[in-house]
Amino acid sequence: MSAILDTHGHDDHDVHHHKETFVTKYIFSIDHKMIAKQYLVTGTLMGVIGVLMSIMFRMQIAWPEEPNVLFEALLGKWAPDGVMDADVYLALVTIHGTIMVFFVLTAGLSGTFSNLLIPLQIGARDMASGFLNMVSYWLFFISCVIMISSLFVEAGPAAAGWTIYPPLSALPMASGGSGLGMTLWLVSMAIFIASSLIGSLNYIVTVINLRTKGMSMTRLPLTIWAFFVTAVIGVVSFPVLLSAALLLIMDRSFGTSFFLSDIFIQGEVLHYQGGSPVLFEHLFWFLGHPEVYIVILPAMGLVSEIMASNSRKPIFGYRAMIASILAIAFLSTIVWGHHMFISGMNPFLGSVFTFTTLLIAIPSAVKAFNWITTLWKGNLQMNPAMLFSIGFVSTFITGGLTGIILGDSALDINVHDTYFVIAHFHLVMGISALYGMFAGIYHWYPKMFGRMMNKNLGYLHFWITAICAYGVFFPMHFIGMAGLPRRYYTNSNFPLFDDLANTNVIITVFAIIGGLAQLIYLYNFFSSMYYGKKAVQNPWRSTTLEWTTPVEHIHGNWPGAIPHVYRWSYDYSKPGHDVDFVPQNVPLKEGEEELQH
């Protein structure tokens, strides 16, 4: 405790203002703000690779077996004469899913904004452990390098879908994508999980121990609640995936049979017996479904903060929002079985998972209604961050409604492993989380880089992205209900699906346009670092503590004493004040009551 008080009690610490070299500032930095930028830039570069992969396999589905210059240039021997090899198609799907779910939407989103905002919004000099924070980033970076290096091994990268179900992933001889590429996938994920656990523990300890004077848990911004609960979910569920990966490595390399039993290859009986591939499904999805909320909860927190700030209104139902975050966190750990309704699950157990899955719609609906009510009759500031926040609510509701169908065991059987599933989870998790990430970047860019992003380019980026996102994923619901299975290299061998070919072409055209639209964002992001308009200290007139720090970054955040907190995070348009926002560090007037919704 004395160490904590010491951190907050001194006005100036020489350690916070020491002269840094290039290496200590940009490479081995222990400043949470720099580490946040490292996460963001690394996640962005991984996202470019992931989106490029998705465009390539969408082109393959739309125009199967047609020569393509892009394939020939990027895939080399995997695309002889420009025609994509069937084996590499599933590899692209696998690595795309892995990159987007783990490296972009988990590390890129949560790693960036948890690092940036937790110390700034709770009133701390830095994370509880700057060294472990640095280690967490570099483990993430190493896992990215290993995952990308798997693209260049001779037999090709992992190719068992991003869920890497055995036996395809457990037998190195099963296919080219089951060899060294799969081993590198498992090693990369083991290192990634270590990174996530170190980071999560750091976030939890920081929020619990390093809040400034007056910053009670019920005065925390919803962003911090979301990051805190996300970290707790990660600590609970990520070790389960680590155990699954380690057991899979043992099956692959040491002759064990955790996930294998009665395997035949080309008529030869292998010696494995006693294991069960369904055990791996349970272990994977016990992480896999909480992972959905590890991805979406930080975006929910960012959107809540941005909506309140740009509606010039207090967030509606603050305590209900906290309760819904906690309810989602608990329920997310008891719904994983809805991914396994067609695995031969006992129907009674299926009904239990149906019940818990439908139950999680209640706290999700509470959040959606509270966001809409926050917007209602607000003085809306329609900047790019606000547009992406509203887009988030739209896609979250749209995608969530189809989750009711997939959460019902009787209905799920009809559309399981079709494009309906792809449409659902891309809208409710993928696009929604990306919208939350974009909203956060546009809103907190001045805090990260001291400059403003170009608003007009932001508008262009939003509208093209929003139209193309629905253009890609809305039609997928219909081809999914028509029975089109996912992960197929081509559907041309099935006359039943001939009528759906034109729809796949339309989806692919939207995907290409939407992918190219991200170049607008990338140009805006990188050029604004050098040529953007210089930011003022509080450009959005927000109430939270991060806007009380100077525009120029210092290691320690505040040059003098850390401000104390006297009120909650959302005093917007409060009667009795001359301005429509009252920062948290402004003491209450005589007779003024603190609001708590």
Side-chain angles (χ1 to χ4, degrees):
M1 181 62 73
S2 61
I4 295 167
L5 293 175
D6 193 46
T7 306
H8 289 75
H10 287 69
D11 285 357
D12 259 322
H13 289 246
D14 290 338
V15 69
H16 294 308
H17 304 290
H18 62 274
K19 183 70 176 172
E20 293 184 305
T21 65
F22 178 86
V23 172
T24 58
K25 184 175 182 181
Y26 293 105
I27 300 177
F28 297 117
S29 175
I30 57 172
D31 181 2
H32 70 98
K33 301 180 291 297
M34 181 57 67
I35 293 172
K37 294 179 192 176
Q38 290 173 323
Y39 267 108
L40 180 56
V41 172
T42 308
T44 299
L45 294 177
M46 294 298 285
V48 169
I49 296 170
V51 169
L52 186 59
M53 287 179 171
S54 68
I55 289 174
M56 284 198 291
F57 61 68
R58 279 306 322 172
M59 292 171 76
Q60 165 59 31
I61 296 168
W63 302 288
E65 298 173 13
E66 289 186 20
N68 189 303
V69 177
L70 183 66
F71 295 168
E72 197 165 13
L74 295 178
L75 298 177
K77 70 172 184 176
W78 300 110
D81 301 322
V83 178
M84 185 184 292
D85 187 275
D87 289 338
V88 82
Y89 175 82
L90 187 56
L92 289 175
V93 172
T94 300
I95 304 300
H96 161 79
T98 304
I99 284 175
M100 298 307 288
V101 171
F102 294 110
F103 297 125
V104 178
L105 298 179
T106 300
L109 175 54
S110 185
T112 297
F113 290 103
S114 295
N115 269 298
L116 177 71
L117 295 179
I118 286 177
L120 288 172
Q121 289 194 336
I122 70 172
R125 294 286 182 196
D126 207 319
M127 284 290 179
S129 172
F131 174 75
L132 286 181
N133 207 16
M134 178 190 74
V135 170
S136 172
Y137 168 72
W138 283 108
L139 287 174
F140 165 59
F141 182 82
I142 291 167
S143 70
C144 289
V145 171
I146 294 173
M147 186 63 69
I148 297 305
S149 68
S150 74
L151 300 173
F152 300 98
V153 299
E154 187 175 357
W162 77 278
T163 55
I164 59 159
Y165 284 170
L168 200 57
S169 60
L171 297 169
M173 72 290 286
S175 72
S178 301
L180 178 59
M182 181 62 70
T183 302
L184 290 172
W185 192 100
L186 291 167
V187 171
S188 172
M189 286 308 302
I191 296 172
F192 175 83
I193 292 166
S195 162
S196 297
L197 289 174
I198 293 171
S200 294
L201 290 170
N202 215 354
Y203 306 151
I204 292 168
V205 172
T206 304
V207 172
I208 291 175
N209 286 340
L210 297 186
R211 302 190 307 278
T212 189
K213 185 177 179 180
M215 181 63 84
S216 64
M217 294 297 281
T218 51
R219 285 176 173 172
L220 287 174
L222 289 173
T223 40
I224 303 302
W225 271 104
F227 300 146
F228 176 71
V229 173
T230 298
V232 172
I233 299 173
V235 169
V236 169
S237 57
F238 262 120
V240 180
L241 182 62
L242 180 61
S243 68
L246 294 176
L247 294 178
L248 194 54
I249 289 171
M250 293 175 73
D251 274 10
R252 289 173 57 82
S253 304
F254 302 108
T256 57
S257 298
F258 292 107
F259 306 129
L260 295 170
S261 182
D262 304 327
I263 301 292
F264 294 77
I265 291 187
Q266 295 178 342
E268 180 187 350
V269 184
L270 302 187
H271 65 277
Y272 300 102
Q273 56 184 333
S276 169
V278 177
L279 170 61
F280 180 87
E281 291 188 39
H282 280 289
L283 293 173
F284 182 90
W285 286 116
F286 189 82
L287 168 277
H289 202 82
E291 168 66 18
V292 171
Y293 295 99
I294 289 171
V295 164
I296 204 71
L297 277 178
M300 289 177 169
L302 297 173
V303 163
S304 300
E305 183 71 27
I306 291 165
M307 279 194 172
S309 181
N310 287 298
S311 297
R312 315 311 296 164
K313 281 178 60 182
I315 192 76
F316 185 88
Y318 173 79
R319 290 177 183 269
M321 292 291 249
I322 295 172
S324 64
I325 289 173
L326 296 172
I328 285 171
F330 171 69
L331 291 171
S332 72
T333 62
I334 55 172
V335 299
W336 78 89
H338 66 222
H339 296 272
M340 300 170 58
F341 283 145
I342 65 167
S343 66
M345 179 184 291
N346 183 301
F348 174 75
L349 187 59
S351 68
V352 172
F353 280 119
T354 295
F355 174 73
T356 56
T357 301
L358 297 181
L359 204 59
I360 207 169
I362 296 172
S364 300
V366 167
K367 299 191 82 63
F369 285 123
N370 283 10
W371 287 320
I372 293 169
T373 316
T374 301
L375 295 174
W376 181 252
K377 293 188 176 180
N379 179 17
L380 304 185
Q381 316 293 306
M382 301 302 275
N383 51 44
M386 185 63 155
L387 288 176
F388 274 110
S389 298
I390 295 170
F392 170 93
V393 178
S394 170
T395 54
F396 183 72
I397 293 172
T398 308
L401 289 173
T402 57
I404 296 172
I405 296 170
L406 294 170
D408 188 297
S409 54
L411 298 175
D412 174 76
I413 290 170
N414 299 287
V415 289
H416 192 91
D417 261 341
T418 68
Y419 272 83
F420 191 90
V421 178
I422 293 183
H424 160 72
F425 79 77
H426 274 85
L427 277 178
V428 79
M429 183 187 81
I431 298 299
S432 296
L434 279 176
Y435 281 3
M437 188 173 182
F438 285 137
I441 290 167
Y442 281 105
H443 188 76
W444 279 284
Y445 192 91
K447 183 50 55 185
M448 281 191 277
F449 299 102
R451 294 181 181 269
M452 307 293 289
M453 292 182 77
N454 185 300
K455 187 184 288 188
N456 292 328
L457 289 179
Y459 290 143
L460 192 62
H461 174 220
F462 169 75
W463 284 113
I464 299 176
T465 301
I467 293 167
C468 290
Y470 272 124
V472 170
F473 297 113
F474 204 74
M476 283 188 186
H477 291 96
F478 300 103
I479 63 177
M481 286 189 287
L484 191 68
R486 63 176 177 164
R487 294 181 180 165
Y488 276 32
Y489 160 75
T490 175
N491 301 298
S492 56
N493 292 330
F494 305 96
L496 174 68
F497 300 131
D498 285 350
D499 292 342
L500 305 179
N502 289 336
T503 307
N504 262 325
V505 172
I506 292 170
I507 290 171
T508 301
V509 170
F510 274 117
I512 293 170
I513 296 171
L516 292 175
Q518 306 319 304
L519 296 175
I520 300 170
Y521 158 75
L522 290 173
Y523 170 78
N524 196 1
F525 180 85
F526 288 107
S527 67
S528 296
M529 288 183 196
Y530 305 100
Y531 307 112
K533 177 185 172 185
K534 287 193 175 179
V536 296
Q537 186 170 6
N538 190 354
W540 314 119
R541 298 180 303 140
S542 296
T543 59
T544 41
L545 285 183
E546 75 269 27
W547 304 107
T548 64
T549 61
V551 177
E552 297 78 19
H553 286 177
I554 57 171
H555 195 169
N557 297 332
W558 289 269
I562 295 175
H564 293 173
V565 167
Y566 300 95
R567 57 184 71 235
W568 75 322
S569 315
Y570 299 104
D571 269 347
Y572 292 102
S573 303
K574 190 175 185 181
H577 288 272
D578 297 332
V579 290
D580 66 352
F581 73 105
V582 189
Q584 284 187 277
N585 61 325
V586 175
L588 294 169
K589 294 180 179 179
E590 188 175 347
E592 181 185 357
E593 291 186 12
E594 182 181 0
L595 293 178
Q596 286 283 329
H597 288 284

